[in-house]
Amino acid sequence: MKLYYFAGTCSLAAHIVAREAGIALDLERVDIHKTPHMTASGANFSQINSKGYVPALQLDDGSLLSEGAVIVQYLADLNPESGLIPPVGTMERYRAQSWLNFIATELHKLYSPWLFHPEYGETIQHIVRDKIAGRLALVENHLTEQGPYLTGEQFTAADA
Ligand SMILES: N[C@@H](CCC(=O)N[C@@H](CS)C(=O)NCC(=O)O)C(=O)O
């Protein structure tokens, strides 16, 4: 399996989960600062992932799996003994998925495009910064009260 990644982005979570699960991945860097995004081996990344973003996981049958919250679950499920994700169908699994969805939609996506586009102006930047601070405070309170990890005692893919 090959993980398409870019350092310092959300693709790090998939890499962490793979390492924690003891899964050896091939890694290929995608320069997301270049237009078009190019892979380290010189391919136009949009030909590999039409969504154009990392992470993307190329499975051994050649097919592609995208969306970080799903990739980390796939990797964790390959090694259930790792405890990186609770078993399918349990309430604990839904709790981990609830965090994964919150992080993907309510946290991660608040950072873009507003924060990286000064042309949208100061007002929107302030509004989004306040929203992000509120959501991070929510996570911090939860970890303080029910941690040390998001779902309690066990580090899961959601923490990654
Ligand atoms: N919905 C995707 C979003 C992934 C995403 O936003 N990736 C960013 C890095 S954190 C990226 O590759 N951006 C490049 C681009 O959108 O062109 C997921 O949750 O995996």
Side-chain angles (χ1 to χ4, degrees), residues 8-11 32 37 51-55 66-69 104 108-109 112:
T9 71
C10 56
S11 60
I32 64 170
H37 300 344
K51 291 174 173 170
Y53 47 66
V54 295
S66 61
E67 302 306 321
H108 179 217
K109 281 296 138 179
S112 62

Side-chain angles (χ1 to χ4, degrees), residues 33-155:
H33 291 322
K34 273 218 177 90
T35 306
H37 300 344
M38 301 298 289
T39 73
S41 63
N44 182 334
F45 185 55
S46 66
Q47 308 283 309
I48 295 163
N49 179 11
S50 56
K51 291 174 173 170
Y53 47 66
V54 295
L57 185 68
Q58 191 166 53
L59 307 184
D60 290 339
D61 66 3
S63 66
L64 200 77
L65 188 63
S66 61
E67 302 306 321
V70 175
I71 292 172
V72 294
Q73 291 182 71
Y74 175 76
L75 291 168
D77 277 330
L78 289 178
N79 184 0
E81 307 299 305
S82 67
L84 286 162
I85 197 81
V88 169
T90 62
M91 199 56 218
E92 289 74 20
R93 177 66 168 242
Y94 294 117
R95 300 242 180 260
Q97 287 175 323
S98 175
W99 278 113
L100 284 165
N101 197 62
F102 173 81
I103 292 160
T105 61
E106 301 296 333
L107 257 182
H108 179 217
K109 281 296 138 179
L110 270 188
Y111 285 83
S112 62
W114 315 111
L115 284 186
F116 306 112
H117 289 271
E119 67 272 22
Y120 288 125
E122 285 288 307
T123 309
I124 191 69
Q125 301 261 339
H126 282 305
I127 294 170
V128 177
R129 277 174 203 275
D130 280 353
K131 259 190 184 286
I132 290 172
R135 290 188 179 154
L136 288 176
L138 193 149
V139 174
E140 191 173 10
N141 287 344
H142 175 81
L143 288 173
T144 305
E145 285 164 16
Q146 296 180 52
Y149 299 110
L150 287 172
T151 56
E153 293 298 319
Q154 173 75 33
F155 177 91

